[in-house]
């Protein structure tokens, strides 16, 4: 069979040939999971002078600052912003390797068109061909963006049976479905059942007017509802008529749902006597506590079920001021001072807000490309975490983060256990904020 595959004249190659090509390709090939900010290396290529640290250029900003010429650092930073936004990009910059030799490094990449959650690229030393690379960069910049590169959620649906024909990464992140599952859905699986009659009228309007604009209610995979500003257009795509659904300004409307939405299964926990007792006992311990360090420590010392965290972080979010103030408990974070300030850009909060996530789980921080993971989590030995946002008047003000020094310690299947902490935590947070508000009062 192997010989027959190799002799087919239409260019099909064997798995071994493909593997050998990837391994022998004279560049470091990599793939980034944009949603999880996780990087994987597809071969073992090493750039001369960097060796096994070649990949750190894309992962660790501190390492990049040490080896990239100061005047070129903005080029890599711009490229990484393009990666996070799912944009086709390429750039070239200079590094000074361990032998103090200057080398020209090129990185280029694009979203995987069949699975836009992943961003594929390569990095190589082009010191001998800088002129050719610069010409290539100009051509790369002219590549037309596809639906996968649109920043806001976009869905293409069949106007006849209302099945989903295509969707982008932002849509999957918003609704919480994996790519394969999303493609099997109908549009009716995404909007809230309460607007069924309205949707039928909208379809009629689109047929005659080619466009509809307004607000619609949707529901995520976990059934939590949200409202979005929607534009639906009738257009041709790849030779067929489709309805293009674009969603913007997603919000959780407090008239219809709670200010922060718990995930499925959390309601079930309230009927479990052991879980009820745990919540009541933890709230009693926090009832008169107003010191944030003590509040976090009490939560750390009183775990239940499959929580399995050995450190805990409370992030006080000030997005408009571009800062996040961090308070912690746990041995791994003991060297940190309480109230340490980090830039909002590159934080967990920014990632959650961008994709309107109910929560975020990172299985391995060493595979992350988020700045905060390399600035806060990795230096303190934290390898995995679960993060839950909370909102005040529809603005994210708080993120609670359960951390572990071990990889893969948090899972979707234990969301109900993590949710047992939310109500007690908010009680403690209210206690802590009260004295601060009183001080500001005249």
């Amino acid at each position: 069979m192997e010989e027959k595959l190799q002799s087919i004249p239409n260019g099909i190659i064997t798995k071994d040939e493909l593997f050998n090509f990837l391994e022998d390709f004279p560049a470091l090939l990599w793939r980034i999971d944009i949603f999880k900010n996780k990087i994987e290396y597809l071969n073992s290529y090493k750039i001369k002078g960097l060796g096994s640290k070649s990949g750190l250029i894309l992962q660790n900003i501190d390492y990049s600052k040490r080896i990239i010429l100061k005047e070129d650092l903005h080029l890599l930073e711009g490229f990484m912003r393009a990666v996070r936004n799912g944009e086709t990009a390429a750039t070239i910059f200079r590094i000074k390797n361990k032998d103090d030799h200057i080398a020209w490094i090129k990185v280029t990449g694009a979203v995987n068109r069949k699975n836009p959650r992943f961003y594929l690229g390569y990095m190589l030393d082009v010191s001998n061909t800088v002129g050719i690379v610069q010409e290539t960069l100009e051509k790369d910049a002219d590549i037309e963006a596809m639906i996968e590169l649109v920043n806001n959620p976009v869905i293409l649906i069949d106007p006849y049976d209302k099945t989903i024909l295509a969707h982008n990464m932002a849509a999957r992140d918003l609704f919480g479905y994996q790519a394969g599952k999303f493609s099997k859905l109908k549009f009716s699986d995404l909007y809230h059942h309460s607007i069924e009659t309205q949707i039928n009228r909208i379809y009629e309007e689109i047929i005659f007017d080619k466009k509809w604009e307004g607000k619609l209610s949707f529901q995520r995979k976990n059934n939590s509802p949200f409202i979005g500003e929607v534009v639906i257009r009738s257009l041709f795509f790849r030779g067929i008529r489709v309805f293009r659904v674009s969603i913007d300004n997603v919000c959780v409307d407090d008239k219809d749902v709670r200010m922060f939405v718990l995930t499925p299964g959390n309601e079930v926990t309230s009927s479990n006597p052991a879980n009820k007792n745990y919540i009541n006992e933890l709230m009693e311990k926090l009832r008169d506590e107003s010191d944030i360090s003590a509040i976090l420590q009490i939560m750390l010392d009183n775990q239940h079920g499959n929580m399995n965290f050995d450190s805990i972080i409370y992030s006080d979010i000030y997005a408009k001021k571009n800062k996040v103030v961090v308070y912690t408990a746990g041995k791994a974070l003991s060297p940190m001072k309480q109230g340490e300030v980090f830039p909002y850009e590159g934080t967990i909060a920014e990632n959650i807000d961008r994709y309107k996530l109910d929560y975020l789980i990172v299985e391995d921080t060493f595979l992350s490309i988020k700045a905060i993971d390399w600035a806060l989590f990795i230096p303190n030995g934290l390898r995995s975490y679960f993060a839950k946002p909370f909102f005040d008047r529809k603005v994210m003000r708080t993120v609670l983060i359960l951390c572990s020094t071990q990889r893969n310690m948090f899972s979707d299947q234990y969301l109900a256990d993590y949710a047992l902490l939310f109500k007690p935590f908010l009680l403690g947070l209210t206690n802590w904020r009260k004295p601060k508000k009183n001080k500001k009062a005249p």
Side-chain angles (χ1 to χ4, degrees), residues 263-332:
T263 48
N266 294 348
E267 293 81 1
V268 177
T269 63
S270 62
S271 63
N272 183 312
N275 292 340
K276 270 181 151 182
N277 290 337
Y278 170 75
I279 293 175
N280 292 336
E281 290 174 4
L282 184 54
M283 290 188 71
E284 187 60 35
K285 292 178 180 180
L286 294 171
R287 193 167 305 282
D288 299 319
E289 184 57 69
S290 59
D291 179 78
I292 191 63
S293 300
I295 291 167
L296 297 176
Q297 189 64 48
I298 289 171
M299 294 174 63
L300 179 62
D301 294 338
N302 294 272
Q303 298 185 40
H304 180 75
N306 294 283
M307 293 179 179
N308 297 325
F309 59 97
D310 47 46
S311 294
I312 186 169
I313 297 173
Y314 154 52
S315 293
D316 197 10
I317 312 300
Y318 300 88
K320 290 184 177 180
K321 296 181 179 179
N322 190 33
K323 73 174 184 177
V324 174
V325 185
V326 171
Y327 303 88
T328 68
K331 184 178 179 181

Side-chain angles (χ1 to χ4, degrees), residues 219-405:
Q219 58 186 16
R220 304 179 198 267
K221 179 184 177 183
N222 65 11
N223 295 321
S224 61
F226 65 89
I227 291 174
E229 295 180 3
V230 180
V231 177
I232 305 179
R233 299 177 185 273
S234 177
L235 47 81
F236 279 95
F237 180 77
R238 295 176 182 171
I240 63 172
R241 181 168 293 281
V242 300
F243 289 166
R244 182 185 187 273
V245 182
S246 176
I247 305 172
D248 257 316
N249 296 323
V250 171
C251 69
V252 178
D253 191 279
D254 57 3
K255 294 178 182 177
D256 300 323
V257 296
R258 289 168 291 176
M259 187 58 68
F260 54 91
V261 181
L262 303 185
T263 48
N266 294 348
E267 293 81 1
V268 177
T269 63
S270 62
S271 63
N272 183 312
N275 292 340
K276 270 181 151 182
N277 290 337
Y278 170 75
I279 293 175
N280 292 336
E281 290 174 4
L282 184 54
M283 290 188 71
E284 187 60 35
K285 292 178 180 180
L286 294 171
R287 193 167 305 282
D288 299 319
E289 184 57 69
S290 59
D291 179 78
I292 191 63
S293 300
I295 291 167
L296 297 176
Q297 189 64 48
I298 289 171
M299 294 174 63
L300 179 62
D301 294 338
N302 294 272
Q303 298 185 40
H304 180 75
N306 294 283
M307 293 179 179
N308 297 325
F309 59 97
D310 47 46
S311 294
I312 186 169
I313 297 173
Y314 154 52
S315 293
D316 197 10
I317 312 300
Y318 300 88
K320 290 184 177 180
K321 296 181 179 179
N322 190 33
K323 73 174 184 177
V324 174
V325 185
V326 171
Y327 303 88
T328 68
K331 184 178 179 181
L333 296 168
S334 57
M336 285 184 58
K337 66 177 182 179
Q338 297 293 351
E340 188 163 343
V341 178
F342 294 87
Y344 174 76
E345 185 176 351
T347 61
I348 295 168
E350 183 193 39
N351 198 60
I352 288 174
D353 190 50
R354 172 176 294 180
Y355 298 115
K356 310 301 178 187
L357 304 177
D358 291 326
Y359 62 89
L360 176 67
I361 291 177
V362 169
E363 297 95 343
D364 189 348
T365 54
F366 270 103
L367 299 178
S368 173
I369 58 172
K370 289 200 303 299
I372 194 66
D373 287 345
W374 287 90
L376 172 57
F377 291 87
I378 291 173
N380 290 293
L382 299 176
R383 297 297 301 274
S384 60
Y385 59 81
F386 163 84
K388 171 67 182 178
F390 298 90
F391 299 83
D392 182 11
R393 297 185 181 89
K394 302 183 183 181
V395 176
M396 186 193 302
R397 281 293 315 278
T398 297
V399 177
L400 176 67
I401 310 167
L402 311 180
C403 314
S404 175
T405 54

Side-chain angles (χ1 to χ4, degrees), residues 187 191-192 195 198-199 202 212-219 226-232 245 247 251:
F187 190 48
Y191 60 75
H192 199 266
I195 64 168
Q198 181 185 2
I199 285 290
I202 290 172
W212 180 88
E213 291 185 66
K215 290 186 177 181
L216 291 178
S217 300
F218 296 93
Q219 58 186 16
F226 65 89
I227 291 174
E229 295 180 3
V230 180
V231 177
I232 305 179
V245 182
I247 305 172
C251 69

Side-chain angles (χ1 to χ4, degrees), residues 5 8 43 51 113 209 242 300 421:
L5 286 173
I8 294 175
N43 63 357
R113 291 172 57 185
D209 297 337
V242 300
L300 179 62
L421 293 167

Side-chain angles (χ1 to χ4, degrees), residues 19-29 43 45 122-124:
F19 177 81
N20 291 335
F21 169 77
L22 292 175
E23 191 59 35
D24 296 338
F25 190 73
L28 180 61
L29 304 174
N43 63 357
Y45 181 82
Y122 63 86
M123 176 168 59
L124 73 161

